[in-house]
């Protein structure tokens, strides 16, 4: 098994651990994740029309995603606390029954921000569900996934959207 294939959050005895990144170089890193919330078309129409007494669903979800990415280390036990330098959450209608969420997070650190971008998308999606559940309990959160990452020892990564196949962006 190569170093790339090892699960780094476990030591030789199988005990969980926070990865020691103290010897890694401090580099610029970024990650983008995406996900979707599928709902009834009427629910999506109301979200886009900003027709909710609770407030603007998309803006509340955007703020929740931003807050969520900053709290990733509090939610995911073995994540490092990172000094995030930038976070952007976008929410856009997709088709007639979905909201597409993307989150891009940047940091200059010893470890990456994949988990922060995934957390931002997840928290934004959960917020949409929470704000709209009174009219549409059948909503589905789906396809939350890493789209790309840049920087760090393992190099760049980009999801192959055509085939759904993943791998290093610099692979030939």
């Amino acid at each position: 098994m190569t170093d790339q294939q090892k699960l780094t959050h476990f030591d030789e005895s199988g005990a969980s651990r926070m990865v020691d990144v103290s010897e890694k170089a401090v580099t610029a890193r970024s990650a983008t994740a995406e996900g979707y919330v599928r709902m009834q078309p009427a629910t999506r129409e109301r979200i886009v029309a900003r027709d909710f007494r609770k407030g603007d669903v998309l803006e509340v979800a955007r703020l929740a995603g931003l807050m969520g990415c900053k709290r990733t280390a509090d939610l995911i036990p073995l994540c490092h606390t990172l000094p995030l330098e930038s976070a952007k959450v976008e929410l856009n209608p997709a088709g007639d029954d979905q909201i597409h969420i993307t989150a891009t997070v940047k940091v200059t650190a010893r470890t990456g921000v994949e988990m922060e971008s995934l957390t931002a998308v997840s928290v934004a999606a959960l917020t949409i569900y929470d704000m709209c559940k009174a009219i549409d309990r059948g909503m589905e959160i789906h396809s939350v996934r890493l789209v790309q990452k840049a920087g760090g020892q393992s190099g760049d990564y980009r999801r192959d959207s055509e085939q759904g196949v993943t791998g290093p962006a610099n692979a030939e």
Side-chain angles (χ1 to χ4, degrees), residues 22-123:
S22 62
E23 300 298 319
K24 287 185 169 187
V26 174
T27 61
R29 298 156 186 267
S30 67
T32 300
E34 72 175 353
Y36 294 83
V37 181
R38 183 177 293 121
M39 60 199 64
Q40 295 173 14
T43 304
R44 186 185 98 32
E45 286 176 27
R46 284 188 66 184
I47 290 171
V48 171
R50 293 168 163 65
D51 183 26
F52 281 85
R53 286 191 321 224
K54 286 184 175 182
D56 184 333
V57 173
L58 297 178
E59 281 309 307
V60 173
R62 180 186 329 279
L63 287 173
L66 292 169
M67 291 172 67
C69 79
K70 296 190 304 183
R71 302 298 300 252
T72 300
D74 294 332
L75 300 169
I76 311 297
L78 301 177
C79 281
H80 293 82
T81 303
L82 295 172
L84 303 181
E85 295 164 340
S86 174
K88 181 178 181 182
V89 177
E90 296 181 17
L91 299 101
N92 294 296
D96 66 350
D97 66 347
Q98 295 188 87
I99 300 294
H100 178 236
I101 305 164
T102 59
T104 300
V105 182
K106 296 179 182 179
V107 69
T108 302
R110 288 182 161 86
T111 190
V113 286
E114 296 92 340
M115 294 307 300
E116 286 74 7
S117 65
L118 288 161
T119 299
V121 169
S122 299
V123 171

